[in-house]
Amino acid sequence: MRILLSSLWVARMLTGFVGDVLKFYEPGMIEQILVGEVDSMPLNQGFRLAAAIIFALPVFMVYLSLTLPYKANRWANIILAILFFGLNLIGELPTYEYAYRTFLVIVEMVFLALIVWHAWKWPKKDRVLAS
């Protein structure tokens, strides 16, 4: 279960990175970056720090899914996956005008839903071993 959860966090991150890379190919994106504003969001230090924190959380979950004791592991996976699912649902999904972005956010949300499902349904026989 630990490896499965960790792998799902990796899959979620890679899906997000693919979307970020493809975004550079959108018309006008490079120009927006050069003037310091993307999708009407200023690329100031505060924004970049918030983005770095948001990007770092799944990286930590890859590790924590492998190392945390069962109870903390289960709840950390459930809570963070729900948080990211909500961020995608509210903050990202409705704003995308490009089909590839919508597709990739939906794929991310599937991975997040799988994290919640597997953490919630963690088999009882594995719980003792994971403590």
Side-chain angles (χ1 to χ4, degrees):
M1 184 57 65
R2 292 173 181 277
I3 293 170
L4 175 63
L5 292 170
S6 182
S7 299
L8 286 167
W9 281 109
V10 170
R12 183 258 168 216
M13 286 188 310
L14 290 174
T15 304
F17 291 146
V18 167
D20 291 340
V21 169
L22 289 175
K23 194 173 183 178
F24 286 115
Y25 293 96
E26 291 177 12
M29 184 56 61
I30 300 299
E31 291 80 9
Q32 288 184 57
I33 292 169
L34 291 174
V35 297
E37 188 173 289
V38 173
D39 296 339
S40 302
M41 295 288 297
L43 297 178
N44 59 32
Q45 193 161 329
F47 174 83
R48 290 192 309 264
L49 175 61
I53 292 167
I54 289 170
F55 281 117
L57 288 173
V59 174
F60 281 115
M61 286 309 299
V62 171
Y63 172 75
L64 293 174
S65 294
L66 295 170
T67 59
L68 282 175
Y70 161 73
K71 217 176 233 185
N73 196 335
R74 182 172 182 243
W75 285 110
N77 274 284
I78 290 169
I79 291 167
L80 277 175
I82 289 172
L83 172 73
F84 277 97
F85 191 95
L87 287 173
N88 282 346
L89 187 64
I90 296 166
E92 294 195 38
L93 194 58
T95 64
Y96 288 162
E97 60 185 277
Y98 294 98
Y100 83 90
R101 283 203 212 172
T102 301
F103 171 76
L104 290 173
V105 168
I106 290 170
V107 171
E108 272 189 58
M109 292 169 71
V110 167
F111 287 132
L112 293 165
L114 286 169
I115 290 167
V116 171
W117 173 260
H118 287 295
W120 188 262
K121 293 289 190 177
W122 197 315
K124 287 184 182 178
K125 65 181 175 75
D126 294 342
R127 293 179 188 178
V128 175
L129 298 172
S131 294

